[in-house]
Amino acid sequence: MKMIRLRIDGKLVVAPEGTTILNAALKAGIYIPHLCYMEMKEVGYKNDCASCRICVVQVKGMSRLVPSCTTPIKEKMEVITNSPEVMHKRRVVLELMLSDHPKDCLICGKNGECELQKLAISFGIREMRFEGKEGRYDKQYSIAITRDTTKCIMCRRCETMCENIQGCGILTGVDRGFNVIVNTAFNRNLLETDCTFCGQCVAVCPVGALYETDNTFRLVEDLMNPNKKVIVQVAPAVRVAIGELFGVEPGIDMTPKLVTALRKLGFDAVFDTNFAADVTIIEEATELKERVLSKLKGEKGVKLPLFTSCCPAWIRFVELNYPELRDNLSSTKSPQQIFGAISKEFWTREKEIERKDLICVSIMPCTAKKYEASREEFAIDGIPDVDYSITTRELGRLFKQYNIDLLEMQDEEFDSPLGESTGAADIFGRTGGVLEAAIRTLYEWLSDGKLEDLDYVNLRGFQEVRVAEIEVTGIKLRVAVVHGLGAARKLIEDIKSGKEYFDAIEVMACKGGCVGGSGQPYHHGNFEIVKKRAEGLQDIDYRKELRESNENESVMKLYDRYIGEANNEVAHRLLHTHYFDRKNHK
Ligand code: FES
């Protein structure tokens, strides 16, 4: 690779040919403010439409200022990032941007986390010199994502994510000239579009144009209600990310302090979604085993590959785009919904409380989980299994409101028995984890032996698609892991055209899996943060004494006492679900 030598603010910088001025400067520790630009090389995300012009710099010999995010470096180039001309231009650009931006920061969904707000602070903007015309759009609420198009700054990050990475194309530039805005076609509510609620648009939006639909008020009301028991379940990806909201490095396991903080907030019992993840594996591995054995017997019509079903955005993607593949989806509910079903059916029985008096809340790294909890099939007589879900960010905000400093908490353990889990459940939160957990258990069941090496490293990492061939007592399985819905679409097309064959496929909608979910603390394009969270979960798995779901004694007791065999009638009533053809949003 040819290396280029240039000077930025007088400092000698060496970077590979093709690097932009912005990236060369950032790498050399020279900060250039930028807004529309965002890149996560590891997962192929790049938004470089150069629409904001905040990143302009001066290049010696060039008559005009240039956007550093799209201008490649050249040999002997001399760049100045902070001349009076550059600073004036940036300030004017920012003032113009603010001139037609709503000034209701105090009640904005991204207040305190808005990149535009941070720029206004750093530039010391105190007055509005220009008067712009604000475009006015009504706020649009959906169960998972709220859109405030009036706040859109046309950076197009969401559009790039939705179209290029997720392959959904729901958000796009509409209208012309001054009125152009990123919106849905015909300004439809997201629920009336093919939106999967993955929320990756929320994860990259720099301002308050897209944010999660807030459920914290509802939770506060429930916690105050003396007639309700309010319990909580915590997803694996939350524990390695919530610390970031309190200044802790990404990937640090905050479980013991988080449990205490949740008790302090007022929950009657604090449980672990991981318990339900172990149950998921018992059911899903049974499904896979039965289908693989049926295929080996030569039975006709066996639906393979079996796709995992834990990710609600992926499920909605299939229902909207590939309803013909519904029977290939594992019918096992997601851990969130299994937990809800078990707690409302059995925990209520043990505690002698009525189903209607139990509120089950989930803390999730994801906006699509809000949508999943609201699906009609997950309710009995109008009472949902999971009443509602709140994101990692919402929980962090609540802790701060209540003066609960996570770092100051004592260490405590989850309540029993719905708080016990194995390492297999922890890795559910990262790409490749669900399939790896299923294979650990499946191996034991097929071989009747103990698996010596539990680490399927071929399934790990962040490559878009990872493929592994696994052999158990002569049975060969070809499996794949894919993250990102656009990549899943490509893989499905390859399978449909006969180019590829697999027995099992894990799909997670978000890059990196749930650790990169839309409800997590904002990573602002730094994928290293997502990687560290994934490593954190892997570390918890390594540290656990039990690392296979079939070793979870509390789960096995649940089967002995209430369910019986996996995949039987009781299991199907409680732990399995069905899917719909949602083409044309039926
Ligand atoms: Fe370069 Fe927006 S960050 S033009």
Side-chain angles (χ1 to χ4, degrees), residues 22 33-38 49-56 67-70:
L22 177 64
H34 47 282
L35 191 54
C36 65
Y37 176 80
M38 188 187 260
C49 60
S51 64
C52 78
R53 304 278 155 161
I54 286 291
C55 68
V56 288
S68 62
C69 66
T70 50

Side-chain angles (χ1 to χ4, degrees), residues 138-188:
D138 289 337
K139 265 194 198 176
Q140 257 196 20
Y141 299 92
S142 75
I143 189 78
I145 296 169
T146 300
R147 292 197 305 128
D148 188 354
T149 307
T150 306
K151 301 234 166 77
C152 176
I153 56 165
M154 283 302 292
C155 70
R156 307 192 98 134
R157 285 188 192 172
C158 60
E159 186 184 7
T160 304
M161 178 57 83
C162 191
E163 173 73 31
N164 300 359
I165 300 297
Q166 300 300 60
C168 293
I170 309 305
L171 294 170
T172 188
V174 295
D175 223 324
R176 289 184 195 181
F178 186 74
N179 294 327
V180 75
I181 206 80
V182 173
N183 204 345
T184 57
F186 308 110
N187 194 28
R188 284 197 185 113

